């Protein structure tokens, strides 16, 4: 069979001689190549031929170390970080000896070409004529997409071992950067589990254990993130480190190589509609050029492929999208996955692991060829792009984006530092200033979009990036015909909105002294009046004070929190939720300890010499709660959403800096939970009730009644509704017609006068609301509850899916956060009109007391992709405020 022959070819290429010499194997894939014997093969280094085994991360690292050692003049091995589980993150630069010896000069040259503000046209032309092109090949961002990392090894070996003139020309004209394994933790998980299921012969059956991974799959990293969705928030070391490396070299072409369903073929650029409108026409034309050459290579070898379907270029948070907004070409390649050694397709063919390695290798080489061949055009287009970016910024009526830092200092600082990490210039005002009729405080952040990263500024900071009208019209047409829409991911991602920060735009430059901002996400806070005799107070409302709370609890400090705002005798007004540390409750080292915590958390703390309060509750009021350090459990494993479980654990452990314990549902069902004060049920991906069983549900209900705080997210909230833990209900779509679909065989005749009447009639009598891919929505916050302490009257949340809940009646609980009215609800993105109408004023966050405990339910996932920073205080209130307001379980 052809697929088996191709798998054998890969083995032959790497030195595994079965039937014929290496040169004959090369001929079979259309490469007239001979190979030197000095380059280490996979077999000589790892003990098995390429594509005969799924290579584990440590073995892959060993192979690239061997290549670097064997070819020190042509290979530069660089490290950009460490995964959560301690595995190295690295890439190699491969080229001819001259290019590698001048790699630092190349980096400097690309930095100059990237900034037309400091580089003249004459200097740019000199760089364009002399610099090599560059292509960055990133493999294995999803750990269970197994063939691309192996193809990265094959590609590296071929570039170094091939002795033909064509390959030498590639390396004369281009530097090839290979990141062979973006997600080593996920791959390690997959490889270990896969070989645990393998028998004496690999199974091709899609229902076999080999092809069905246990929870969580190897797709995600240690914190169960889909790393291909982290290119906006940069929360994970695997992506943040890669972004740093990309900003060093500004590679001109970036490819992210993936796998997809085994019944497909191979996908490459050009992308599907919709395109992000901030992608230039020149970039789209160049992507077409790369796709055409890929197609020629695939045609020569008889490989099927497709383009312009499924995978769009709208959402900028993919690896295959992010480099576009700095002027590169970036794209996704997708290979049908064997998800093991072999897979029987729906047509009865056997797809092998070697097939995937083979095709990814061919696509990699085709792209390298285009990059080398188009060297001068790619460099000139990059230079023109960066010039165009500055010019568009200068011409913009919203040239300057200003983010005041006073209302949420932690959020504003994190956003500013994150933008710098994205390669954007950010400045901070040293004094108060007024511009465009608005007063801004000192410390406000200013982003001038007249900079080379203009398009990155726009895509991250614009309130809305629209999809093309014709694309939206087509989606509405498809919905009307009960066809699936073609929106691939979320339609909104504005960072200021997701951080719930005020954002102002202005065409006029602020007349104030500005200083450059660095990439730190937290800057040290301070203690005012550290010699205070009575207490120290930290205003609540941002993550500086949030980190202070968790750090203080972990150090054993006693801290109180006010449910209500109050005014101290010194004249300072403190918001609800403010933290109070009294000397009487703590030891003599309190001031020194708080000074250290202020420096590490960013919190600002004020010492007071009296406990006298002129308005609001005194420190000893029942409206001031002592915050105990809760033990937090998170439900973990089937049938929970692995992504939401991982996001939630990450937010609490890495953003809140507080430990959690993850517990599998079977143990939740059968164990004494009294050690835990808080239990979080992430969104579900299956029937949690069936997994827990009646005994397990009763166990959780009894735990809540005894004083536990149950917090549910997204679809887990429906589970709480179904099992009488929450007195809400999940809504069906609002009906606009009388039921008309009886089951009778004969019915009275009717007349339809138009296609519109037909469309109206064929609408089902009852159905769920239509699924939304993801939009940013405005929420109103009940300011008279401790759950909203320190939270602004309006917040922004991501709404995805089709869950709409009935509000709690006032005798059962409170609707703490509700969707805004229909006209104000949509903050960014595209939302189906009937969903927008039905969501208006419905609950987003519900609170219901139960015995000595309570249930706190979010209609959506507040930890979604860990980039909804504007909801973090709400979540902290739910966890720590909930534990302090319930009767403690200790």
């Amino acid at each position: 069979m052809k697929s088996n022959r191709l798998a054998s070819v890969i083995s032959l290429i790497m030195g595994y001689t079965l039937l014929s010499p290496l040169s004959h194997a090369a001929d079979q894939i259309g490469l007239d190549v001979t190979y030197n014997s000095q380059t280490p093969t996979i077999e000589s280094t790892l003990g098995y031929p390429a594509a005969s085994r799924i290579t584990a991360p440590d073995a892959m690292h060993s192979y690239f170390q061997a290549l670097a050692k064997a070819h020190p003049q042509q290979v530069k091995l660089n490290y950009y970080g460490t995964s959560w589980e301690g595995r190295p993150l690295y890439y190699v630069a491969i080229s001819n000896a001259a290019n590698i010896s001048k790699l630092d000069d190349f980096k400097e040259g690309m930095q100059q070409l990237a900034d037309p503000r400091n580089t003249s046209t004459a200097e740019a032309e000199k760089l364009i004529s002399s610099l090599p092109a560059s292509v960055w090949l990133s493999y294995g961002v999803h750990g269970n997409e197994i063939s691309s990392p192996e193809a990265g090894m094959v590609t590296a070996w071929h570039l170094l071992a091939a002795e033909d003139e064509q390959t030498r020309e590639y390396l004369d004209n281009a530097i090839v950067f290979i990141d062979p394994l973006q997600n080593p933790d996920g791959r390690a998980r997959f490889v270990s589990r896969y070989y645990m299921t393998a028998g004496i012969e690999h199974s091709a059956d899609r229902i076999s254990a080999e092809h069905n991974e246990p929870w969580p799959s190897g797709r995600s990293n240690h914190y169960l993130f889909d790393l291909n969705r982290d290119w906006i928030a940069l929360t994970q070391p695997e992506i943040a480190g890669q972004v740093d490396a990309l900003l060093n070299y500004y590679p001109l072409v970036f490819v992210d190589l993936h796998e997809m369903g085994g019944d497909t073929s191979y996908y490459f650029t050009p992308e599907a509609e919709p395109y992000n409108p901030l992608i230039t026409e020149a970039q789209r034309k160049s992507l077409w050029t790369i796709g055409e050459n890929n197609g020629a290579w695939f045609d020569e070898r008889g490989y099927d492929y497709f383009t312009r379907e499924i995978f769009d270029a709208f959402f900028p948070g993919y690896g295959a999208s992010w480099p576009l907004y700095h002027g590169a070409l970036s794209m996704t390649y997708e290979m049908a996955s064997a998800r093991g050694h072999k897979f029987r397709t729906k047509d009865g063919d056997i797809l092998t692991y070697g097939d995937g390695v083979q095709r990814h290798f061919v696509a990699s080489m085709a792209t390298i060829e285009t990059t080398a061949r188009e060297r001068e055009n790619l460099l000139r287009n990059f230079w023109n792009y960066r010039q165009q970016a500055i010019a568009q910024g200068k011409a913009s009526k919203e040239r300057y984006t200003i983010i005041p830092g006073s209302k949420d200092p932690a959020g504003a600082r994190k956003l500013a530092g994150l933008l710098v990490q994205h390669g954007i210039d950010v400045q901070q005002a040293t004094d108060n200033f007024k511009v465009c009729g608005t007063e801004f405080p000192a410390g406000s952040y200013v982003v001038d979009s007249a900079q080379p990263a203009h398009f990155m500024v726009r895509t991250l900071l614009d309130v809305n990036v629209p999809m093309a009208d014709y694309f939206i019209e087509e989606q509405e047409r498809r919905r009307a015909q009960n066809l699936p829409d073609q929106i691939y991911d979320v339609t909104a991602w504005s960072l200021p909105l997701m951080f719930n920060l005020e954002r102002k735009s202005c065409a006029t430059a602020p007349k104030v002294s500005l200083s450059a901002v660095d990439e730190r996400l937290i800057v040290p806070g301070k203690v005012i009046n550290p010699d205070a005799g009575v207490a120290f107070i930290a205003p609540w409302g941002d993550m500086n004070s949030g980190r202070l709370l968790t750090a203080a609890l972990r150090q054993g400090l006693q801290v109180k929190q006010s449910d209500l705002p109050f005014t101290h005798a010194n004249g300072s007004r403190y918001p609800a939720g403010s933290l109070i540390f009294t000397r009487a409750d703590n030891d003599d080292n309190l001031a020194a300890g708080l000074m250290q915590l202020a420096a590490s958390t960013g919190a600002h703390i004020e010492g007071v010499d009296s406990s006298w309060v002129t308005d609001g509750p005194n420190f000893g009021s029942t409206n001031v709660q002592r915050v105990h350090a809760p033990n937090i459990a998170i439900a973990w494993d089937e049938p929970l959403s692995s992504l939401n479980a991982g996001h939630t654990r990450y937010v609490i452990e890495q953003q809140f800096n507080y430990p959690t314990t993850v517990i599998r549902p079977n143990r939740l069902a059968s164990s004494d939970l009294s050690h835990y004060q808080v239990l979080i049920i992430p969104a579900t991906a299956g029937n949690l009730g069936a997994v827990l069983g009646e005994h397990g549900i009763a166990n959780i209900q009894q735990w809540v009644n005894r004083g536990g705080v149950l917090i549910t997210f997204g679809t887990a909230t429906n589970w709480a509704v179904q099992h009488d833990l929450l007195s809400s209900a999940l809504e069906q779509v609002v009906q606009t017609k009388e039921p008309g679909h009886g089951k009778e065989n004969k019915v009275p005749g009717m007349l339809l006068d138009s296609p519109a009447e037909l469309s109206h009639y064929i609408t089902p009598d009852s159905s769920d609301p239509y699924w939304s891919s993801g939009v940013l929505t405005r929420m109103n916050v009940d300011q008279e509850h401790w759950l909203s302490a320190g939270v602004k009257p309006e917040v922004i949340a991501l709404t995805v899916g089709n869950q709409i809940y009935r509000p709690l009646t006032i005798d059962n609980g409170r609707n703490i956060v509700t969707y805004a009215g229909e006209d104000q609800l949509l903050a960014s993105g595209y939302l189906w009109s009937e969903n927008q109408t039905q969501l208006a004023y419905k609950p987003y966050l519900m609170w219901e007391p139960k015995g000595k405990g309570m249930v706190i339910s979010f209609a959506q996932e507040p930890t979604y992709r860990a980039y909804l920073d504007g909801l973090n205080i709400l979540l902290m209130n739910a966890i720590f405020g909930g534990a302090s307001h319930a009767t403690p379980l200790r």
Side-chain angles (χ1 to χ4, degrees):
M1 184 172 284
K2 182 179 180 182
S3 58
N4 288 332
R5 178 181 66 81
L6 293 174
S8 298
V9 167
I10 284 290
S11 295
L12 289 166
I13 289 175
M14 297 308 294
Y16 184 49
T17 305
L18 290 176
L19 303 173
S20 55
L22 289 173
S23 58
H24 178 60
D27 287 342
Q28 291 188 61
I29 61 167
L31 296 176
D32 185 13
V33 180
T34 58
Y35 294 93
N36 70 62
S37 60
Q38 303 304 310
T39 302
T41 65
I42 290 179
E43 184 174 20
S44 67
T45 306
L46 304 183
Y48 53 85
S52 67
R53 184 173 179 83
I54 305 166
T55 301
D58 57 341
M60 189 171 295
H61 184 215
S62 296
Y63 183 65
F64 278 95
Q65 287 177 313
L67 290 180
K69 183 178 180 180
H71 293 275
Q73 294 181 321
Q74 284 190 264
V75 180
K76 176 67 174 176
L77 177 60
N78 298 282
Y79 294 88
Y80 62 81
T82 304
S83 73
W84 292 112
E85 295 177 11
R87 295 183 175 89
L89 302 169
Y90 58 94
Y91 62 93
V92 293
I94 298 175
S95 191
N96 66 20
N99 288 336
I100 294 300
S101 70
K102 295 185 291 185
L103 192 60
D104 288 342
D105 293 339
F106 168 77
K107 179 171 69 174
E108 178 61 28
M110 289 305 299
Q111 292 289 331
Q112 293 173 15
L113 204 62
D115 195 348
R117 297 170 301 184
N118 300 317
T119 304
S120 68
T121 300
E123 291 169 330
E125 286 298 330
K126 185 177 179 180
L127 290 166
I128 290 168
S129 67
S130 61
L131 288 173
S134 52
V135 55
W136 187 288
L137 304 173
S138 274
Y139 302 91
V141 72
H142 296 138
N144 59 1
E145 296 179 2
I146 52 178
S147 62
S148 77
E150 196 89 13
M153 293 195 292
V154 173
T155 302
W157 177 84
H158 173 82
L159 291 173
L160 294 168
E163 296 182 332
D164 63 301
E165 182 178 350
Q166 186 178 50
T167 303
R168 286 198 298 269
E169 286 180 359
Y170 297 162
L171 299 185
D172 288 343
N173 287 286
I175 299 173
V176 180
F177 294 95
I178 293 178
D179 185 335
L181 187 54
Q182 301 175 74
N183 183 6
D185 294 351
R187 187 176 179 89
R189 185 185 312 130
F190 175 88
V191 171
S192 172
R193 290 174 168 186
Y194 177 81
Y195 283 113
M196 288 174 63
T197 66
I200 61 171
E201 182 177 301
H202 291 287
S203 174
D205 193 339
R206 67 182 67 207
I207 70 170
S208 69
E210 288 179 54
H211 294 282
N212 291 274
E213 300 172 71
W215 191 102
S217 73
R219 178 182 177 88
S220 51
N221 74 340
H222 172 79
Y223 270 110
L224 308 189
F225 274 65
D226 181 334
L227 293 177
N228 200 36
R229 305 299 191 276
D230 192 49
W231 288 76
I232 287 178
L234 304 184
T235 64
Q236 304 302 295
E238 297 91 341
I239 303 304
Q242 191 173 178
V243 163
D244 285 344
L246 292 173
L247 290 173
N248 277 332
Y249 295 104
Y250 288 105
L252 300 171
V253 177
F254 179 98
V255 185
D256 205 14
L257 293 98
H258 292 256
E259 287 185 343
M260 54 184 171
D263 293 317
T264 55
S265 59
Y266 197 98
Y267 166 87
F268 47 73
T269 192
E271 287 67 31
E273 294 284 355
Y275 268 74
N276 189 304
L278 297 171
I279 298 171
T280 67
E281 188 62 30
Q283 288 175 308
R284 294 188 64 169
K285 289 180 179 178
S286 294
L287 288 168
W288 191 281
T289 298
I290 290 175
E292 278 192 298
N293 193 46
N294 288 354
W297 277 62
F298 272 55
D299 286 346
E300 186 177 347
R301 291 154 184 83
Y303 299 162
D304 288 336
Y305 65 89
F306 68 98
T307 67
R308 297 170 288 105
E309 297 179 55
I310 304 175
F311 306 105
D312 65 39
F314 184 66
F315 177 55
Y318 311 126
S321 296
W322 183 92
L324 284 162
Y325 306 99
H326 275 298
L329 303 178
S330 59
M331 62 216 78
T332 293
Y333 294 172
E334 300 267 357
M335 170 60 197
S337 178
R339 280 295 192 273
H341 280 257
K342 56 184 180 178
F343 174 81
R344 183 178 295 104
T345 71
K346 61 182 176 61
D347 294 324
D349 295 329
I350 300 298
L351 178 72
T352 71
Y353 179 46
D355 292 336
V357 177
Q358 179 86 0
R359 285 159 178 75
H360 271 320
F361 164 67
V362 169
S364 298
M365 292 305 303
T367 307
I368 292 169
E369 178 181 76
T370 307
T371 303
R373 185 181 64 199
E374 298 290 324
R375 183 197 68 81
E376 187 171 337
N377 287 337
L378 290 169
L379 286 163
R380 179 164 281 107
N381 288 346
F382 177 74
W383 163 253
N384 290 338
Y385 177 98
R386 306 289 281 190
Q387 286 184 305
Q388 178 185 357
I390 296 171
Q392 288 203 15
K394 288 181 177 178
S396 174
K397 294 180 180 179
E398 298 184 346
R399 172 172 173 172
Y400 298 93
T401 298
I402 303 167
I403 300 168
S406 56
K407 294 182 180 179
D408 184 352
R413 175 65 216 196
K414 181 176 178 181
L415 175 58
L418 180 58
L419 294 176
V420 174
Q421 291 180 12
H422 277 283
I424 295 170
D425 294 336
V426 181
Q427 296 177 301
Q428 188 171 24
T430 56
D431 297 299
N432 299 334
F433 64 96
K434 182 177 181 179
V435 67
C436 291
T438 303
E439 300 277 356
F440 293 96
S444 294
Y445 298 96
V446 179
V447 181
D448 180 359
S449 67
Q451 59 173 290
H454 166 82
F455 293 102
M456 185 66 77
V457 171
R458 290 281 311 278
T459 199
L460 294 180
L461 294 185
D462 277 10
V463 171
N464 189 54
V465 177
M467 292 182 286
D469 290 342
Y470 66 83
F471 178 80
I472 292 299
E473 291 172 4
E474 172 62 11
Q475 305 321 300
E476 293 289 5
R477 185 197 69 79
R478 292 178 65 86
R479 283 204 314 134
Q481 298 300 316
N482 197 31
L483 296 171
D485 69 75
Q486 296 167 316
I487 299 174
Y488 191 72
D489 209 286
V490 297
T491 64
W493 55 82
S494 172
L495 282 174
L497 290 180
M498 294 195 298
F499 278 54
N500 207 40
L501 294 172
E502 184 180 2
R503 171 199 182 278
K504 298 289 185 181
S505 297
C506 185
T508 305
K511 295 180 179 179
V512 64
S513 176
L514 298 169
S515 60
V517 174
D518 59 32
E519 63 181 18
R520 290 178 297 168
L521 305 182
I522 302 170
V523 294
K526 60 183 178 181
V527 176
I528 300 172
N529 189 21
D531 297 324
V534 174
F536 297 89
I537 307 173
W540 186 248
D542 74 353
M543 281 306 298
N544 288 336
S545 54
R547 287 185 290 267
L548 173 64
L549 172 61
T550 57
L553 292 176
R554 294 183 70 186
Q555 289 193 10
L557 299 182
Q558 286 201 27
V559 55
K560 299 176 181 178
Q561 191 169 30
S562 177
D563 288 348
L564 302 172
F566 62 92
T567 303
H568 190 265
N570 65 7
S572 296
R573 181 72 174 172
Y574 295 97
S578 291
L579 308 177
I580 303 166
F581 302 85
T582 64
R583 285 194 179 273
D585 289 332
N586 291 282
D587 62 28
D588 294 340
N589 296 319
L590 176 62
L594 289 177
M595 290 175 69
Q596 291 179 345
L597 292 181
S600 63
T601 65
H604 287 255
I605 307 168
E606 185 173 359
V608 294
D609 294 304
S610 166
S611 66
W612 190 251
V613 170
T614 61
D615 178 64
N618 294 98
F619 295 175
S621 166
T622 55
N623 286 309
V624 176
Q625 311 290 328
R626 178 180 170 185
V627 184
H628 295 273
N631 294 319
I632 303 171
I634 301 175
W636 193 262
D637 211 332
E638 296 279 5
L640 286 311
S641 159
S642 65
L643 292 176
N644 189 229
H647 298 162
T648 301
R649 189 180 193 183
Y650 170 82
V651 167
I652 297 172
E653 292 191 348
Q654 298 297 328
Q655 293 186 347
F656 297 177
N657 194 29
Y658 198 83
T660 66
T661 300
V662 295
I663 303 177
R664 304 187 196 281
N666 64 325
R667 298 313 303 257
L668 288 175
S670 60
S671 301
D672 179 4
L673 302 177
S674 60
H675 177 66
Y676 298 94
Q677 289 74 52
V678 176
L679 170 61
I680 299 174
I681 309 288
T684 58
N687 190 338
L688 179 60
V691 174
L692 289 172
E694 292 183 7
H695 178 75
I697 294 167
N699 193 35
I700 293 175
Q701 290 172 331
Q702 292 165 10
W703 171 83
V704 171
N705 285 325
R706 293 196 304 267
V709 178
L710 177 66
I711 302 175
T712 64
F713 292 163
T715 48
T717 293
N718 188 36
W719 167 82
V721 168
Q722 292 173 342
H723 297 285
D724 298 323
L725 285 159
L726 185 69
S727 303
S728 178
L730 194 62
E731 292 188 352
Q732 292 185 319
V733 71
V734 173
Q735 292 301 316
T736 59
K737 69 183 189 69
E738 293 296 323
H741 297 78
K743 296 182 179 180
E744 299 86 353
N745 291 326
K746 281 191 174 183
V747 295
M750 64 180 296
L751 299 177
L752 298 174
D753 295 331
S754 67
E757 284 194 17
L758 171 62
S759 177
H760 184 72
Y761 177 78
I762 64 177
T763 301
D765 289 342
S766 63
S767 62
D768 294 330
Y770 195 86
W771 182 274
S772 169
S773 295
V775 296
L776 293 174
T777 47
R778 292 187 181 89
M779 309 284 174
N780 296 321
V781 180
D782 177 356
Q783 296 284 286
E784 296 185 306
H785 194 277
W786 53 263
L787 258 173
S788 63
V791 179
K792 299 172 186 175
E794 181 183 277
V795 296
I796 304 292
L798 186 84
T799 294
V800 61
N802 61 353
Q803 292 200 125
I804 302 175
Y805 290 93
R806 285 285 172 90
L808 295 177
T809 58
I810 200 166
D811 56 324
N812 284 314
R814 296 275 287 275
N815 305 290
I816 307 299
V817 180
T818 55
Y819 285 90
E822 180 180 354
D823 293 341
Q824 298 298 315
L825 185 148
L826 183 62
S828 181
Y830 187 79
L831 181 62
W832 316 115
S833 60
E834 68 272 21
N835 291 36
Q836 187 165 334
T837 300
Q838 189 171 348
L839 277 168
Y841 306 113
K842 297 295 169 57
Y844 176 86
L845 175 60
M846 295 170 277
W847 169 82
E848 182 166 348
K850 290 281 186 180
K852 296 180 179 180
M854 65 189 71
V855 177
I856 300 173
S857 291
F858 290 81
Q860 295 283 326
E861 300 170 18
T863 56
Y864 189 86
R865 295 180 182 170
Y867 59 20
L868 298 172
D869 284 54
L871 299 179
N872 279 351
I873 291 299
L874 263 179
L875 182 55
M876 291 201 85
N877 287 345
I879 294 171
F880 299 97
S884 66
H885 283 81
T887 302
L889 292 167
R890 301 189 192 283

